[in-house]
mmCIF file of all heavy atoms in Angstrom:
data_model
loop_
_atom_site.group_PDB
_atom_site.id
_atom_site.type_symbol
_atom_site.label_atom_id
_atom_site.label_comp_id
_atom_site.label_asym_id
_atom_site.label_seq_id
_atom_site.Cartn_x
_atom_site.Cartn_y
_atom_site.Cartn_z
ATOM 1 N N GLN A 323 131.795 133.186 283.316
ATOM 2 C CA GLN A 323 131.430 132.412 284.442
ATOM 3 C C GLN A 323 129.889 132.505 284.726
ATOM 4 O O GLN A 323 129.256 131.511 285.084
ATOM 5 C CB GLN A 323 132.134 132.973 285.702
ATOM 6 C CG GLN A 323 133.578 132.520 285.772
ATOM 7 C CD GLN A 323 134.199 132.802 287.043
ATOM 8 O OE1 GLN A 323 134.116 133.894 287.589
ATOM 9 N NE2 GLN A 323 134.851 131.756 287.641
ATOM 10 N N ILE A 324 129.289 133.687 284.496
ATOM 11 C CA ILE A 324 127.793 133.804 284.667
ATOM 12 C C ILE A 324 127.078 132.867 283.688
ATOM 13 O O ILE A 324 126.083 132.217 284.012
ATOM 14 C CB ILE A 324 127.406 135.280 284.518
ATOM 15 C CG1 ILE A 324 127.939 136.119 285.623
ATOM 16 C CG2 ILE A 324 125.908 135.420 284.341
ATOM 17 C CD1 ILE A 324 127.747 137.571 285.473
ATOM 18 N N LYS A 325 127.519 132.847 282.464
ATOM 19 C CA LYS A 325 126.900 131.973 281.385
ATOM 20 C C LYS A 325 126.968 130.526 281.836
ATOM 21 O O LYS A 325 125.949 129.742 281.742
ATOM 22 C CB LYS A 325 127.462 132.161 280.071
ATOM 23 C CG LYS A 325 127.081 133.566 279.447
ATOM 24 C CD LYS A 325 127.679 133.692 278.095
ATOM 25 C CE LYS A 325 127.366 135.079 277.515
ATOM 26 N NZ LYS A 325 128.020 135.313 276.186
ATOM 27 N N TYR A 326 128.183 130.079 282.253
ATOM 28 C CA TYR A 326 128.310 128.698 282.647
ATOM 29 C C TYR A 326 127.526 128.387 283.960
ATOM 30 O O TYR A 326 126.919 127.288 284.014
ATOM 31 C CB TYR A 326 129.761 128.374 282.917
ATOM 32 C CG TYR A 326 130.678 128.292 281.651
ATOM 33 C CD1 TYR A 326 132.029 128.621 281.727
ATOM 34 C CD2 TYR A 326 130.086 127.899 280.508
ATOM 35 C CE1 TYR A 326 132.781 128.572 280.491
ATOM 36 C CE2 TYR A 326 130.854 127.835 279.337
ATOM 37 C CZ TYR A 326 132.166 128.151 279.422
ATOM 38 O OH TYR A 326 132.906 128.046 278.220
ATOM 39 N N ALA A 327 127.462 129.334 284.852
ATOM 40 C CA ALA A 327 126.652 129.084 286.068
ATOM 41 C C ALA A 327 125.200 128.933 285.723
ATOM 42 O O ALA A 327 124.478 128.034 286.299
ATOM 43 C CB ALA A 327 126.897 130.267 287.038
ATOM 44 N N LEU A 328 124.618 129.822 284.895
ATOM 45 C CA LEU A 328 123.194 129.731 284.482
ATOM 46 C C LEU A 328 122.983 128.352 283.704
ATOM 47 O O LEU A 328 121.906 127.771 283.841
ATOM 48 C CB LEU A 328 122.795 130.918 283.644
ATOM 49 C CG LEU A 328 122.787 132.246 284.393
ATOM 50 C CD1 LEU A 328 122.444 133.365 283.418
ATOM 51 C CD2 LEU A 328 121.830 132.215 285.577
ATOM 52 N N HIS A 329 123.937 128.035 282.881
ATOM 53 C CA HIS A 329 123.792 126.741 282.153
ATOM 54 C C HIS A 329 123.761 125.524 283.138
ATOM 55 O O HIS A 329 122.994 124.608 282.968
ATOM 56 C CB HIS A 329 124.965 126.604 281.140
ATOM 57 C CG HIS A 329 124.884 125.295 280.368
ATOM 58 N ND1 HIS A 329 125.523 124.219 280.791
ATOM 59 C CD2 HIS A 329 124.240 124.974 279.247
ATOM 60 C CE1 HIS A 329 125.354 123.166 279.873
ATOM 61 N NE2 HIS A 329 124.517 123.680 278.936
ATOM 62 N N PHE A 330 124.627 125.676 284.202
ATOM 63 C CA PHE A 330 124.618 124.592 285.141
ATOM 64 C C PHE A 330 123.321 124.481 285.879
ATOM 65 O O PHE A 330 122.747 123.393 286.131
ATOM 66 C CB PHE A 330 125.725 124.842 286.178
ATOM 67 C CG PHE A 330 125.808 123.866 287.298
ATOM 68 C CD1 PHE A 330 126.628 122.797 287.154
ATOM 69 C CD2 PHE A 330 125.090 124.120 288.478
ATOM 70 C CE1 PHE A 330 126.656 121.865 288.307
ATOM 71 C CE2 PHE A 330 125.115 123.219 289.511
ATOM 72 C CZ PHE A 330 125.920 122.107 289.445
ATOM 73 N N ILE A 331 122.720 125.626 286.261
ATOM 74 C CA ILE A 331 121.430 125.647 286.959
ATOM 75 C C ILE A 331 120.294 125.027 286.071
ATOM 76 O O ILE A 331 119.476 124.334 286.589
ATOM 77 C CB ILE A 331 121.171 127.063 287.422
ATOM 78 C CG1 ILE A 331 122.126 127.587 288.413
ATOM 79 C CG2 ILE A 331 119.718 127.222 287.937
ATOM 80 C CD1 ILE A 331 122.060 129.088 288.704
ATOM 81 N N ARG A 332 120.358 125.330 284.782
ATOM 82 C CA ARG A 332 119.367 124.839 283.939
ATOM 83 C C ARG A 332 119.469 123.220 283.748
ATOM 84 O O ARG A 332 118.522 122.563 283.748
ATOM 85 C CB ARG A 332 119.398 125.488 282.532
ATOM 86 C CG ARG A 332 118.873 126.927 282.538
ATOM 87 C CD ARG A 332 118.628 127.400 281.115
ATOM 88 N NE ARG A 332 119.909 127.324 280.309
ATOM 89 C CZ ARG A 332 120.812 128.378 280.289
ATOM 90 N NH1 ARG A 332 120.573 129.455 280.928
ATOM 91 N NH2 ARG A 332 121.877 128.188 279.526
ATOM 92 N N THR A 333 120.628 122.794 283.394
ATOM 93 C CA THR A 333 120.855 121.449 283.030
ATOM 94 C C THR A 333 120.956 120.549 284.193
ATOM 95 O O THR A 333 120.400 119.360 284.144
ATOM 96 C CB THR A 333 122.082 121.258 282.165
ATOM 97 O OG1 THR A 333 123.229 121.786 282.919
ATOM 98 C CG2 THR A 333 122.036 122.031 280.868
#
Side-chain angles (χ1 to χ4, degrees):
Q323 283 193 312
I324 290 172
K325 288 180 179 179
Y326 286 151
L328 293 177
H329 179 266
F330 176 91
I331 293 171
R332 287 194 301 271
T333 57

